Amino acid sequence: MLRLLTVSELTAHIKNLFDNDPLLLNLWVKGEISNYKQAASGHLYFTLKDEGCAIKAVMFRSRGRRLLFEPEDGMAVRIRGYVTVYPRDGTYQLYAEEMEPEGTGALYLAFEQLKKKLEKEGLFDPRHKKKIPRLPRRIGIVTSPTGAVLRDMVKIIRRRFPGAEIIFVPVAVQGEGAPGEVVRGIQLLNRLNACDVIITGRGGGSLEELWAFNTEVVARSIFKSRIPVISAVGHETDYTIADFVADLRAPTPSAAAEMVVPVREEMARQVEMLHNRLCRAVGEKIRGYRHRLDLLTRSRVTSSPVEVLCGSRSQVVDELARRLGVTMERCLEQGKNRLAVLTGRLQALSPLATLARGYSICSLVDTGEIIRTATGVSSGDEVQVELYRGRIFCRVTESCPE
């Protein structure tokens, strides 16, 4: 007789088969990512597929945060993990513990992804590059206290410019905690305003060994630094994200030490050359001014100023005064003539001239309304008559309209 199972019992039985299959407990699977999303919890959910089939997959946050690159739809990957049943939905899925890009290294892919991201944000834009001081008084160095890099940089700086002060911040430049230490070193020098320029970097090594300078936190700390930063990582052929963000890239740490300060002897020779050029320029100026002074002292203006002022110059002044007087008289005459014309026009338009010829203006006393016709008044109205000289008041006894 067949046994009747519940859904939970059936699912538990299938899950037990999956969990006891050695092949499914630890395997590598390759395929293409689709429907990728990262939940608020940090878990990664996606589908892994090939030409014929697809399987749901999940990578928990504890595993996902170890990824050096960002998974995305369409990316071909290899995944190590295990397959089991998810009891709630009764579906089987792949639980990813490791993920590698197919056909290219994870570190190289992470490098290219971060480079593209920061370049899009403008962190590589030359407009943001700060100028490296020509003669820094204090130089900050953020690197490892062990190895030859620090000794070489200090030796070169001391030889080229003994007066420069070196502020050293020891940090780890390799390993899991290295990016955080490099960031804290750069931030410390900025917070204390301890130097005029910062050199950060390390000696050569593999891509894994240089990885601290390919991280986003180090790149952003360099970009946010108020103090100019020189990146000096690895050999001349090594390029890191820090090189692109820094205000100046040095091919090697030793080259950074040579770039940050000039040779004191060369500076002294330049100062001496500038001093000589300045002396020659000043001498030429003095000779030029002396020549002009000699010419002035020999001129009539300086040798006989009274003669110049009382001679031809006084005649010129007299002529100018005469011409000014004539011009003023002409202007006054023109003004008088124009005033007479305007006065005549105004007089012709004046109502007083009309009244002087025997006319008058009549208006009602009560309202002040001008009376133009006989129909404008009635018997008994009081009327004011305006004459050329004075006015009279009348009472209407009779009006005779036309």
Side-chain angles (χ1 to χ4, degrees):
M1 182 177 178
L2 296 178
R3 179 184 175 187
L4 180 62
L5 300 176
T6 64
V7 174
S8 297
E9 290 173 336
L10 177 59
T11 303
H13 177 72
I14 296 174
K15 185 176 187 303
N16 184 60
L17 295 177
F18 273 78
D19 293 344
N20 287 280
D21 188 331
L23 176 64
L24 302 180
L25 292 179
N26 187 15
L27 75 166
W28 283 92
V29 184
K30 67 177 182 178
E32 181 180 301
I33 294 177
S34 66
N35 301 320
Y36 173 79
K37 66 177 181 179
Q38 182 173 4
S41 61
H43 303 328
L44 310 181
Y45 296 95
F46 55 95
T47 299
L48 192 67
K49 66 178 183 178
D50 58 17
E51 296 82 356
C53 297
I55 181 175
K56 290 185 177 180
V58 60
M59 177 175 268
F60 295 128
R61 181 179 60 181
S62 59
R63 299 289 185 177
R65 64 186 180 186
R66 298 179 184 177
L67 291 177
L68 298 176
F69 64 96
E70 180 67 27
E72 55 188 30
D73 288 341
M75 181 183 292
V77 295
R78 294 182 296 168
I79 295 176
R80 187 189 68 81
Y82 60 94
V83 179
T84 187
V85 174
Y86 182 43
R88 192 195 70 178
D89 296 340
T91 58
Y92 73 93
Q93 59 186 20
L94 174 64
Y95 291 80
E97 296 189 327
E98 295 181 35
M99 184 186 302
E100 297 177 357
E102 181 74 9
T104 184
L107 292 178
Y108 179 76
L109 180 59
F111 175 87
E112 289 298 328
Q113 287 182 335
L114 181 59
K115 180 182 175 184
K116 183 178 180 180
K117 174 184 177 181
L118 298 184
E119 184 175 18
K120 187 176 180 180
E121 292 183 22
L123 271 67
F124 303 165
D125 196 323
R127 293 178 299 176
H128 299 311
K129 305 295 185 185
K130 294 177 284 294
K131 186 177 180 181
I132 305 299
R134 179 173 174 77
L135 190 61
R137 293 178 301 155
R138 292 174 294 178
I139 302 166
I141 299 179
V142 180
T143 190
S144 171
T146 61
V149 169
L150 177 62
R151 293 194 301 271
D152 290 345
M153 285 196 291
V154 171
K155 181 180 178 180
I156 292 171
I157 293 173
R158 294 286 187 230
R159 172 171 53 81
R160 290 173 66 88
F161 210 90
E165 182 181 354
I166 297 175
I167 310 297
F168 173 56
V169 181
V171 298
V173 293
Q174 184 176 333
E176 187 175 351
E181 291 196 26
V182 173
V183 169
R184 286 190 289 273
I186 294 173
Q187 291 175 344
L188 176 63
L189 292 175
N190 275 268
R191 187 167 62 252
L192 299 178
N193 197 23
C195 56
D196 303 312
V197 63
I198 297 173
I199 300 175
T200 183
R202 54 155 294 155
S206 65
L207 183 59
E208 290 82 0
E209 292 171 333
L210 303 180
W211 194 251
F213 296 93
N214 283 320
T215 57
E216 185 171 356
V217 290
V218 170
R220 294 195 182 279
S221 68
I222 292 174
F223 182 77
K224 293 178 181 178
S225 173
R226 291 180 290 99
I227 303 172
V229 178
I230 299 176
S231 174
V233 182
H235 302 299
E236 187 171 356
T237 56
D238 295 325
Y239 273 87
T240 64
I241 298 296
D243 293 331
F244 295 109
V245 182
D247 301 294
L248 180 65
R249 177 201 178 244
T252 63
S254 297
E258 294 178 353
M259 295 164 67
V260 76
V261 290
V263 178
R264 188 171 65 173
E265 289 75 10
E266 292 180 359
M267 287 288 294
R269 285 195 294 270
Q270 291 182 4
V271 170
E272 183 178 1
M273 180 186 67
L274 292 174
H275 176 265
N276 294 335
R277 289 174 58 185
L278 179 61
C279 289
R280 287 195 297 271
V282 172
E284 290 293 332
K285 283 287 186 181
I286 292 175
R287 284 190 290 273
Y289 289 138
R290 182 173 292 147
H291 178 67
R292 291 180 59 187
L293 181 60
D294 292 340
L295 293 176
L296 289 173
T297 55
R298 290 197 296 268
S299 67
R300 290 181 64 233
V301 175
T302 54
S303 60
S304 304
V306 176
E307 179 183 348
V308 173
L309 293 175
C310 297
S312 59
R313 297 297 182 184
S314 63
Q315 294 178 0
V316 172
V317 173
D318 292 341
E319 176 63 19
L320 292 174
R322 185 190 67 78
R323 290 168 60 183
L324 178 62
V326 172
T327 301
M328 289 294 295
E329 290 179 2
R330 185 181 302 115
C331 290
L332 288 173
E333 186 64 27
Q334 291 175 350
K336 289 179 181 179
N337 293 337
R338 181 170 176 76
L339 179 61
V341 172
L342 294 176
T343 302
R345 292 179 180 176
L346 182 62
Q347 184 67 27
L349 298 174
S350 174
L352 294 177
T354 303
L355 295 177
R357 295 198 297 271
Y359 293 93
S360 62
I361 300 173
C362 298
S363 61
L364 294 174
V365 173
D366 295 340
T367 63
E369 182 181 356
I370 300 298
I371 302 172
R372 293 180 174 82
T373 62
T375 58
V377 295
S378 301
S379 179
D381 287 345
E382 292 184 352
V383 177
Q384 174 182 299
V385 181
E386 188 76 29
L387 305 174
Y388 175 65
R389 293 187 181 277
R391 60 179 66 88
I392 59 177
F393 294 91
C394 307
R395 186 182 300 276
V396 177
T397 59
E398 182 182 0
S399 61
C400 303
E402 294 181 354

